[in-house]
Amino acid sequence: MSPSTLADRFAALFGATPTIVAAPGRVNLIGEHTDYNDGFVMPCAIDFTARIAIAPRNDKRLVLHSGEFPEHFDFPLDRLPEKPVHAWCDNLVGVAHMLRAEGIPLSGASLLLHSKVPIGAGLSSSAAVEVGTALALLAVSQRSLPLPRVAQLAQRAENTFINAQVGIMDPFVSCLGEAGHALQLDCRSLTFDSVPLPPQLRLVICNTMVKHKHAGGEYNLRRKECEEGVELLKRWYPNITALRDVSPADLEAHSANLPKIIRDRCTHIVRENDRVLAFGRALRGADLPALAKLMRESHASLRDLYQVSCRELDQMVELAEHLPGFRGCRMTGGGFGGCTINLIEAPLAETFAAEIAAAYRQKTGVRPDVYICSATRGAHVETADPSKP
Ligand code: GLA
């Protein structure tokens, strides 16, 4: 929905002219499950956006409507739910709590959310909504925060309110993505570099349509296994605090002393960190064969060592390799379903999309959604309220 249509809907609902904030979803090119190990990631913000229209109210209430869900919510600001109510408002309420904990006095507001980011596809619909909500609430409260801080608050809303122990990658790239670029992020220091994508490639995202119900539990389990790896490795490397501090050679030297599962998880993480750095070099040098090789290795490692792929993701990856324009492919995001990311030669993107959809349907009986995307800019205010100076 365009910003002006959203503004019209908002005006019809609340009789006011809104400020509109747009926050994108993301796709990760490489660097999977490394963010919560203080490692490196390489995501892009994509042109699937959550838009939030907001205007202040003077009755100290937070009134929330959605373009996608019928329920709406009306909370007194001083009595926001302290726990998730298991509805779409949870991500927004969580962010309101985090802003308040940050010392931002909230104003009453009417808010209308309209999100185009597919839900449950691993393209960070939650992070987009959280980042958008944070910027929208800051705008009506006439406050601002640095974008990396906004990303941290969105992450904290997930960690402490929603109780999902996710890393910083998704909200960070939703805040700081740049059009036509991937963002190479160091998840420990939060320093980053925007790396131009080769203009001859398009990002083609293939949705297996599998939503894994237990993904949250498995995700938290992987985190624990990584922490256990760090504890065990401290015996030889007492100064490490995360797998980020362990090189592939360090791990190799003692891997025989680790239980197999822990060894496999750690091996994925330490090599995946190296792959992100190599991928960054390959992008900068437009070394397309190296990109494809690194993505293939990443997928195999996620499948065999980290064990977060699933049959449908593996099938989607295998089908892609033989199709026109193929330049690299792997599963993307947390795993157990969701999407693959494919680098495809731009003139062949439509052909690739049609052929992979047909091939996947023939193989699985399921019609996949295939999205041809561009890397887009991070969250921003799209229109200012004209009544304000
Ligand atoms: C999910 C989480 C991210 C990251 C990825 C895996 O998307 O939200 O923080 O851990 O999984 O790379």
Side-chain angles (χ1 to χ4, degrees):
M1 187 183 293
S2 71
S4 60
T5 314
L6 184 63
D8 289 348
R9 293 239 176 125
F10 187 93
L13 209 51
F14 296 113
T17 304
T19 298
I20 294 181
V21 172
R26 67 96 188 92
V27 71
N28 190 18
L29 301 186
I30 199 159
E32 220 64 85
H33 290 271
T34 43
D35 61 351
Y36 54 82
N37 288 293
D38 277 1
F40 302 101
V41 292
M42 184 75 78
C44 304
I46 51 172
D47 42 358
F48 277 119
T49 301
R51 284 206 163 85
I52 289 176
I54 193 163
R57 333 173 34 104
N58 52 21
D59 59 1
K60 295 197 163 60
R61 302 184 80 84
L62 194 55
V63 179
L64 308 173
H65 283 244
S66 154
E68 285 76 43
F69 296 99
E71 323 92 285
H72 60 269
F73 300 90
D74 182 347
F75 301 120
L77 264 184
D78 56 2
R79 268 178 289 133
L80 292 175
E82 289 299 331
K83 290 195 171 119
V85 296
H86 304 291
W88 67 268
C89 66
D90 286 344
N91 303 87
L92 294 86
V93 171
V95 166
H97 280 301
M98 296 311 129
L99 286 172
R100 197 174 258 162
E102 187 76 2
I104 308 280
L106 295 180
S107 311
S110 307
L111 185 152
L112 173 60
L113 163 68
H114 187 85
S115 179
K116 280 289 195 195
V117 191
I119 294 175
L123 300 177
S124 296
S125 55
S126 302
V129 167
E130 285 154 359
V131 164
T133 302
L135 292 187
L137 289 174
L138 284 165
V140 286
S141 306
Q142 297 181 317
R143 297 296 183 107
S144 70
L145 285 173
L147 285 171
R149 189 74 196 136
V150 171
Q152 286 174 320
L153 294 182
Q155 181 196 9
R156 197 186 292 164
E158 284 283 336
N159 293 168
T160 64
F161 190 76
I162 306 289
N163 202 16
Q165 301 312 310
V166 294
I168 190 71
M169 168 169 72
D170 306 347
F172 200 95
V173 70
S174 182
C175 282
L176 286 140
E178 199 181 313
H181 291 67
L183 187 139
Q184 183 173 328
L185 172 66
D186 177 336
C187 297
R188 172 174 277 168
S189 64
L190 299 189
T191 52
F192 63 94
D193 195 10
S194 287
V195 188
L197 292 170
Q200 67 270 39
L201 296 182
R202 297 297 309 269
L203 308 175
V204 182
I205 298 171
C206 300
N207 189 344
T208 61
M209 315 305 276
V210 175
K211 298 183 187 181
H212 197 285
K213 291 201 188 70
H214 307 298
E218 289 288 339
Y219 185 94
N220 291 346
L221 182 60
R222 293 297 178 283
R223 282 195 77 129
K224 284 217 179 71
E225 290 163 347
C226 291
E227 284 160 18
E228 203 179 321
V230 172
E231 284 314 307
L232 292 170
L233 287 162
K234 275 188 173 164
R235 200 168 134 201
W236 300 284
Y237 308 110
N239 296 330
I240 64 170
T241 58
L243 288 178
R244 152 68 178 275
D245 301 315
V246 181
S247 71
D250 291 344
L251 180 64
E252 192 73 41
H254 299 286
S255 60
N257 302 97
L258 301 178
K260 178 166 173 10
I261 291 242
I262 303 297
R263 176 169 68 226
D264 286 353
R265 306 301 191 237
C266 293
T267 303
H268 167 72
I269 298 298
V270 302
R271 293 201 188 145
E272 184 81 348
N273 274 330
D274 271 12
R275 280 192 283 270
V276 176
L277 302 179
F279 195 90
R281 289 191 294 273
L283 267 185
R284 290 180 188 90
D287 181 351
L288 302 194
L291 297 178
K293 177 170 176 284
L294 291 161
M295 290 175 91
R296 185 176 297 118
E297 288 170 5
S298 172
H299 185 81
S301 176
L302 289 158
R303 182 190 61 212
D304 301 335
L305 299 178
Y306 216 64
Q307 297 182 301
V308 292
S309 187
C310 64
R311 187 167 47 88
E312 292 84 350
L313 282 168
D314 296 341
Q315 286 171 328
M316 194 74 96
V317 165
E318 282 155 25
L319 291 170
E321 297 212 350
H322 310 290
L323 296 180
F326 175 85
R327 287 296 190 166
C329 170
R330 54 183 283 283
M331 58 157 276
T332 186
F336 304 105
C339 295
T340 62
I341 169 70
N342 300 263
L343 301 183
I344 305 299
E345 289 164 22
L348 291 165
E350 301 278 352
T351 312
F352 174 89
E355 291 198 12
I356 196 154
Y360 183 80
R361 192 174 180 192
Q362 198 188 19
K363 187 136 201 152
T364 63
V366 174
R367 185 203 299 259
D369 286 341
V370 180
Y371 321 109
I372 301 177
C373 289
S374 300
T376 189
R377 71 182 282 203
H380 57 281
V381 173
E382 284 191 316
T383 55
D385 182 340
S387 68
K388 282 188 191 147

